[in-house]
Amino acid sequence: MSVEHTFDHDLPDLPACLEHLPALLERLTSRHARHDQPVLAKQFVKIRFSNFESTTLESLLPASTTTLPSANSFALLMEQAWQRGHRPVRLLGVGVRLKAREDAQQLGLF
């Protein structure tokens, strides 16, 4: 479950990226609220730099987590991911990876 935004003009630096984090998290929170408290496994941040190279950084969440991580937690991941490129940013994304339900079954193809 994720949200991302491609900017019309590249964001010049990390502080500019962090300014856009609250809006992304608001959209992610809205999307998360529409689901029946899924169990979350990881959180992640995606950055596409001005040269179109992308990086994704993720971290594990405590077992049985159903609430979204804090804004500070996402900001820390964003800072670490931005350090990989150190250049203007074209796209930012944030999200969570869901844990498969224990009662989930693979359906047959035919």
Side-chain angles (χ1 to χ4, degrees):
M1 178 183 316
S2 65
V3 296
E4 56 186 42
H5 184 80
T6 302
F7 298 95
D8 293 335
H9 301 285
D10 294 343
L11 302 177
D13 53 22
L14 178 59
C17 294
L18 292 172
E19 283 181 26
H20 290 275
L21 184 58
L24 288 169
L25 291 177
E26 184 177 318
R27 289 177 45 211
L28 182 62
T29 299
S30 175
R31 183 169 286 176
H32 180 259
R34 291 188 296 240
H35 292 76
D36 188 26
Q37 294 193 342
V39 177
L40 310 177
K42 297 179 181 179
Q43 71 179 99
F44 67 91
V45 170
K46 175 182 175 182
I47 297 178
R48 180 164 297 132
F49 296 101
S50 59
N51 64 355
F52 293 96
E53 289 181 8
S54 296
T55 188
T56 302
L57 187 63
E58 62 185 24
S59 66
L60 288 172
L61 296 172
S64 302
T65 299
T66 57
T67 58
L68 289 176
S70 69
N72 289 340
S73 180
F74 278 104
L76 179 61
L77 279 180
M78 187 173 288
E79 290 173 22
Q80 293 170 348
W82 189 84
Q83 294 298 325
R84 293 177 172 179
H86 266 268
R87 61 177 43 106
V89 170
R90 170 66 53 169
L91 174 145
L92 289 175
V94 295
V96 290
R97 303 206 191 284
L98 307 180
K99 183 175 181 180
R101 293 176 38 175
E102 291 182 18
D103 62 344
Q105 296 180 3
Q106 178 70 40
L107 299 176
L109 184 57
F110 299 104

